[in-house]
Amino acid sequence: MAADSSSQNSKILLTGIRASGDIHLGNYLGAMRQALQLQTKYQSYLFIANFHGLTTTPKAEELRKHTRSIAAAWLAAGVDTKKTVLWKQSDVPEVLELAQVLTCLTSVGLLERAHSYKDALAKEKIIKAGILFYPVLMAADILLYNSDFVPVGKDQAQHLEMTRDMATYFNETYGTTFTLPEALILEDVATIPGTDGRKMSKSYNNGIDLFASEAELKKQIMGIKTDSKGLDDPKVAEECVVYQIFKLIAGKSESDEMKRKLEAGGYGYGDAKKALLAKFLEDFGAMRKEYDRWMKDTAALDQELARGAVQAREKATKMIKRVREVVGL
Ligand code: ADP
Ligand code: TRP
């Protein structure tokens, strides 16, 4: 396993997906795909954030299901576990220890500025402390492995800024211990729109889920909201969510063709949705099969996670030992 980040290819990449539902296209294009593409370049740490999942999934069976499903998604999408470490967050409890240390350096004011907390304030009557604490645990995830790069969607940019703040407070208080991580956000996939035009999110129920049944996918794609222009009307492709998504998964010539047809008129939103469904099934067909295979072979899946946990924990233990020393525990 690569140790410290002294040269370019020993730099560390880390990202996590919250165990809170099914993987959708936004998760894949925004975070997973770039992480997977970079696994040959950087020592990579990929995990399933099941402690974070507790903030939204209070049912044990559901949380277990989401955790396995995200692990299967990582594996199906191409994690090379010979090189990359894949584990579930709760298998490395040292992360909670670091989070506890970080809470003592982090002002409540900083946490109250988090978009995730403000969203919860707007929606919920009672805010659980876990929501306010969410960015601290995320910072602990990142700092525990001395991560250099964190591929994420744009919605996580603020959490990454907070992580850098926490690392800076820590380094200023106790001496340089942590690397300041950098978010990797790709502009064209920073915020994938959902079927209702808002950001695609597990919490908005507006996803196109990578591993849903064909019938369910059809329902999701056919349900994409469009304006009321009729079949013959010329349409504005750039304003159409179907086209916006199609463009991200199809090649340039195919998407240019859809744009031309939409703008010419005589090509309906229903036609565009059918083309999107077909493209989606073509592009993700092999991955979907792999996912089903992993979901059926839970013993193999659990074994991969157990192996990853040992590797992750080995690294985490070294860092936590150092943290304990410098803070005086
Ligand atoms: P969700 O909002 O669906 O619960 P997560 O919070 O688990 O998704 O996000 C996992 C990763 O996927 C994060 O890096 C996040 O930034 C990215 N992501 C989520 N939704 C989108 C989106 N609509 N567009 C781009 N990236 C996204
Ligand atoms: N907060 C991230 C999300 O909701 C998931 C996450 C937890 C994460 N810990 C992380 C992402 C560390 C990157 C790095 O999407």
Side-chain angles (χ1 to χ4, degrees), residues 229-235 261-269 271:
K229 290 199 178 78
L231 179 74
D232 293 328
D233 298 324
K235 303 163 182 73
K261 286 186 190 160
L262 282 167
E263 290 177 353
Y267 182 77
Y269 290 125
D271 299 319

Side-chain angles (χ1 to χ4, degrees), residues 74 80 101 109 116 134 145 151 191 199 214 238 253 279 311 316:
W74 272 126
D80 175 4
V101 172
S116 48
Y134 190 108
Y145 300 92
T191 309
K199 172 196 116 81
E214 239 176 275
E238 297 295 345
S253 66
K279 186 76 211 159
Q311 294 171 307

Side-chain angles (χ1 to χ4, degrees), residues 14-16 18 47 49 52 134 138 141-142 150 152 156 159:
L14 172 142
T15 199
R18 191 159 53 111
F47 68 100
H52 282 105
Y134 190 108
M138 179 160 163
D141 285 327
I142 296 169
V150 184
V152 282
Q156 298 299 313
H159 287 153

Side-chain angles (χ1 to χ4, degrees), residues 72-297:
W74 272 126
L75 289 162
V79 172
D80 175 4
T81 53
K82 286 199 188 69
K83 180 173 188 293
T84 294
V85 184
L86 175 74
W87 78 104
K88 63 173 190 285
Q89 190 185 29
S90 61
D91 282 342
V92 185
E94 284 76 8
V95 74
L96 300 178
E97 208 174 320
L98 179 55
Q100 170 60 24
V101 172
L102 295 176
T103 54
C104 299
L105 293 167
T106 307
S107 71
V108 173
L110 178 81
L111 298 179
E112 281 173 339
R113 286 196 289 278
H115 302 311
S116 48
Y117 174 70
K118 287 188 186 164
D119 284 353
L121 266 188
K123 274 192 275 178
E124 317 284 346
K125 278 203 203 80
I126 298 171
I127 309 292
K128 304 281 175 24
I131 296 287
L132 189 63
F133 179 76
Y134 190 108
V136 185
L137 182 55
M138 179 160 163
D141 285 327
I142 296 169
L143 302 179
L144 189 58
Y145 300 92
N146 228 7
S147 314
D148 295 286
F149 300 118
V150 184
V152 282
K154 196 170 174 187
D155 58 343
Q156 298 299 313
Q158 189 194 30
H159 287 153
L160 258 296
E161 278 309 313
M162 291 179 152
T163 301
R164 291 168 65 93
D165 288 344
M166 288 179 225
T168 305
Y169 303 146
F170 189 101
N171 288 348
E172 281 170 358
T173 310
Y174 296 111
T176 303
T177 306
F178 296 122
T179 306
L180 296 197
E182 198 184 305
L184 298 182
I185 300 172
L186 294 174
E187 214 26 68
D188 60 334
V189 289
T191 309
I192 307 295
T195 54
D196 58 1
R198 292 188 292 171
K199 172 196 116 81
M200 189 178 287
S201 171
K202 299 192 209 95
S203 5
Y204 298 156
N205 204 12
N206 64 354
I208 297 178
D209 295 336
L210 242 56
F211 307 109
S213 68
E214 239 176 275
E216 184 55 33
L217 261 178
K218 188 170 176 190
K219 207 162 105 196
Q220 291 173 349
I221 290 178
M222 289 302 174
I224 295 176
K225 273 200 191 139
T226 52
D227 60 30
S228 57
K229 290 199 178 78
L231 179 74
D232 293 328
D233 298 324
K235 303 163 182 73
V236 184
E238 297 295 345
E239 287 173 9
C240 168
V241 171
V242 186
Y243 170 73
Q244 288 167 9
I245 296 176
F246 188 81
K247 200 167 75 166
L248 296 171
I249 62 174
K252 180 161 165 39
S253 66
E254 275 177 298
S255 26
D256 284 352
E257 191 191 338
M258 179 181 282
K259 183 176 159 90
R260 191 184 47 72
K261 286 186 190 160
L262 282 167
E263 290 177 353
Y267 182 77
Y269 290 125
D271 299 319
K273 288 175 184 177
K274 278 186 205 144
L276 174 60
L277 177 63
K279 186 76 211 159
F280 189 94
L281 291 171
E282 180 191 319
D283 273 18
F284 294 106
M287 204 190 283
R288 286 161 56 80
K289 275 206 192 107
E290 268 297 283
Y291 172 86
D292 290 342
R293 198 177 65 73
W294 281 108
M295 285 304 273
K296 278 192 199 115
D297 196 351

